[in-house]
Amino acid sequence: MKISTVLGGMAASASILACTTAFAQAGVPENGPSLRDLAPVQTYSVPDSDGAAPRALPPPGDDDAGSGLRIDAAAQADEQPEPLDLKGAWRPLRPTYAPGAWQPMGLDLLDDQTPSAGQTMAGLGWKLGSKNWNYTSAGGLGLTLGNASPTTPAWASSTTLGGVGLSKGLSPGNADTGQWQYATMVGALDYSPGTTEGGLDYGPAASTSVLRYGLSSNLTLESQMETAPAMKTMGLGGTYNTHQWGVWSAGVARASQEMDDGMRYQVGYQTSLLGRLQLSWVGEHRSAGFSDLSLYRNFADNEAQDSNLWKLTMPLGSYGDLSGSYQAIETPSGPPVEVFGVSHQFALNQNVKLALQAQRQRYTGDYDVGLQLSIPLN
């Protein structure tokens, strides 16, 4: 078997060689197709091309900064894009009714003047309070960040919120004729203890707003709205200043919470006696089911009541203010309550303030005595 296979291979080789010789003798050109054309790698001739002659680099100049390259400053300036002008782009789109004070951090984006490097927050209109930051612009716009007691009418009760407050043109007395004033605050009810130790304690989300309008130099109309989960309170009233005979205030409010609703009527009066003594009186009638933010936490315990509060304040100049108060409360379900109180507030020096307060109930004999010392840490 092995000898036959070898002989067969030799015969096949002789046949291929004979065929090749026959093709050559038949006139087939030597440069025609061959077995080399079937190889996976082929070679091709590439014509020679003359490269550019090398050039020497130009000598370095003053603008090269040791880099060895010369920079054309004019060409580079033309290639750089122009800086984006945000002021110029926003200026034509600014509405005509938008006040310039509506800019962040008390800065006007349209004002080309920038604060100096050493300018403080107080120079920008910000002031640090005991529990908040307050900003007041030149146009009368006020911004409060932190815990504060929002402005309320004289015929309403105040409370403390933690959040963001905004006000415009508020004045302590009557508004000028034709002037609008407003104040609003959005945040959460602050239940943190006032004078005792303890951490922060916040309640549900709440908001309050006040709108005032000066109908005349003596009469200012006021409205108030308070909201909290499942509660809404709306009130209308006003303040009338008689100048020589004191200031009267009155308001009526309606509230609804869950399935209850109620009304509140309040009248107040404030005047000066002998040019120095300040006398005030507040009378209030509240029906069952009435609730506002000051009563929201203990709404289940609220009931109808009539109350009268008298207060007499005597200024003592550098010795502070001495006040005495008397409050009488009547409820359908219990005996009347009468509370006498005395308080004295004065400054020990420029930074230290001291407050003394004492209260005693007439029928039960219970009494409270408090001492508060305030020292700023800044």
Side-chain angles (χ1 to χ4, degrees):
M1 292 295 292
K2 294 183 178 179
I3 296 175
S4 299
T5 302
V6 173
L7 292 176
M10 293 177 60
S13 300
S15 299
I16 295 174
L17 179 60
C19 292
T20 305
T21 305
F23 278 112
Q25 293 177 357
V28 178
E30 296 180 356
N31 57 353
S34 63
L35 294 176
R36 184 181 299 176
D37 297 335
L38 300 177
V41 179
Q42 303 292 329
T43 59
Y44 301 93
S45 60
V46 178
D48 296 335
S49 60
D50 298 335
R55 294 181 301 173
L57 293 175
D62 297 337
D63 298 336
D64 297 338
S67 62
L69 298 177
R70 189 171 184 178
I71 302 175
D72 191 351
Q76 186 182 17
D78 296 340
E79 295 177 358
Q80 292 182 353
E82 297 182 358
L84 181 60
D85 187 7
L86 295 178
K87 296 181 182 179
W90 184 77
R91 189 185 300 269
L93 300 178
R94 181 189 183 193
T96 56
Y97 58 83
W102 289 4
Q103 310 302 336
M105 300 301 294
L107 299 177
D108 190 353
L109 294 179
L110 300 180
D111 189 2
D112 295 333
Q113 298 180 356
T114 57
S116 59
Q119 193 169 9
T120 61
M121 294 295 290
L124 296 176
W126 288 91
K127 182 179 179 182
L128 178 62
S130 59
K131 296 182 179 181
N132 51 50
W133 277 96
N134 298 298
Y135 165 73
T136 304
S137 68
L141 181 70
L143 177 65
T144 301
L145 304 176
N147 293 8
S149 296
T151 302
T152 56
W155 42 267
S157 302
S158 62
T159 186
T160 303
L161 294 179
V164 181
L166 190 67
S167 62
K168 175 67 175 180
L170 286 179
S171 58
N174 285 48
D176 297 335
T177 304
Q179 181 185 17
W180 288 94
Q181 300 178 356
Y182 67 85
T184 181
M185 189 165 186
V186 180
L189 288 171
D190 182 16
Y191 295 149
S192 304
T195 57
T196 60
E197 297 181 358
L200 297 177
D201 183 11
Y202 289 102
S207 66
T208 177
S209 60
V210 175
L211 181 64
R212 309 180 72 212
Y213 176 73
L215 190 61
S216 66
S217 59
N218 298 334
L219 179 61
T220 299
L221 302 180
E222 301 169 323
S223 65
Q224 183 192 30
M225 183 176 66
E226 296 179 344
T227 60
M231 190 210 78
K232 180 182 293 185
T233 303
M234 300 186 64
L236 295 174
T239 302
Y240 184 75
N241 189 355
T242 63
H243 298 287
Q244 184 178 359
W245 302 102
V247 179
W248 287 89
S249 63
V252 56
R254 184 182 185 276
S256 60
Q257 182 172 2
E258 296 178 351
M259 302 299 294
D260 297 325
D261 56 16
M263 302 291 294
R264 179 187 63 193
Y265 307 91
Q266 190 178 102
V267 179
Y269 177 70
Q270 183 177 358
T271 187
S272 298
L273 299 177
L274 305 177
R276 292 180 58 85
L277 298 178
Q278 300 292 329
L279 177 65
S280 63
W281 164 75
V282 176
E284 179 183 285
H285 170 74
R286 191 171 68 214
S287 64
F290 178 85
S291 177
D292 57 7
L293 292 182
S294 64
L295 305 172
Y296 186 85
R297 189 173 190 178
N298 300 318
F299 171 72
D301 299 335
N302 296 337
E303 59 179 346
Q305 71 172 28
D306 294 326
S307 64
N308 288 274
L309 174 63
W310 296 85
K311 187 176 182 180
L312 181 64
T313 302
M314 179 175 61
L316 301 178
S318 59
Y319 295 98
D321 297 334
L322 179 63
S323 301
S325 62
Y326 168 77
Q327 185 176 15
I329 302 176
E330 296 182 359
T331 58
S333 60
V337 177
E338 296 184 7
V339 181
F340 297 90
V342 178
S343 63
H344 186 200
Q345 300 179 2
F346 59 95
L348 296 178
N349 54 44
Q350 185 178 1
N351 297 323
V352 181
K353 297 181 180 180
L354 184 65
L356 301 174
Q357 185 175 1
Q359 292 183 351
R360 184 181 185 276
Q361 295 190 14
R362 176 182 177 184
Y363 296 104
T364 62
D366 297 338
Y367 63 92
D368 297 326
V369 178
L371 173 64
Q372 182 177 2
L373 184 66
S374 302
I375 303 176
L377 300 179
N378 53 353

